[in-house]
Amino acid sequence: MTDVVVYENGPLLLRGDFTLRTPDGEEIDPGRSTVALCRCGKSAIKPFCDGTHKAARFRAGAGRETPAPRSGEPE
Ligand code: FES
């Protein structure tokens, strides 16, 4: 089982059994079973969060009103 925790103004925390891959399908070894994935785009170690979102004052949006996901491949 994999848990994904969406931090309000920070990363996505993945915990459990998961596989990270590049868009080409190459596996990324996270080296651990819990990782934080950057959501702000400012990390120097993407796809992982390095804490820069705090200095960048990343704001994901207000409240819990989350739009429905789009179908298909990400852009
Ligand atoms: S979410 Fe933490 S550096 Fe981007």
Side-chain angles (χ1 to χ4, degrees):
M1 179 173 167
T2 304
D3 283 330
V4 180
V5 180
V6 181
Y7 280 83
E8 187 78 22
N9 296 310
L12 300 175
L13 195 74
L14 267 65
R15 184 182 297 130
D17 188 25
F18 59 84
T19 302
L20 286 178
R21 295 187 189 282
T22 67
D24 296 332
E26 186 177 329
E27 193 168 321
I28 300 171
D29 179 9
R32 59 187 83 131
S33 62
T34 300
V35 297
L37 298 179
C38 178
R39 197 159 63 115
C40 74
K42 303 290 187 185
S43 175
I45 57 168
K46 293 182 199 90
F48 304 106
C49 170
D50 66 359
T52 302
H53 60 271
K54 292 176 192 164
R57 298 182 175 209
F58 172 65
R59 295 290 176 261
R64 289 272 177 218
E65 297 174 23
T66 304
R70 297 183 302 179
S71 61
E73 292 292 315
E75 295 176 9

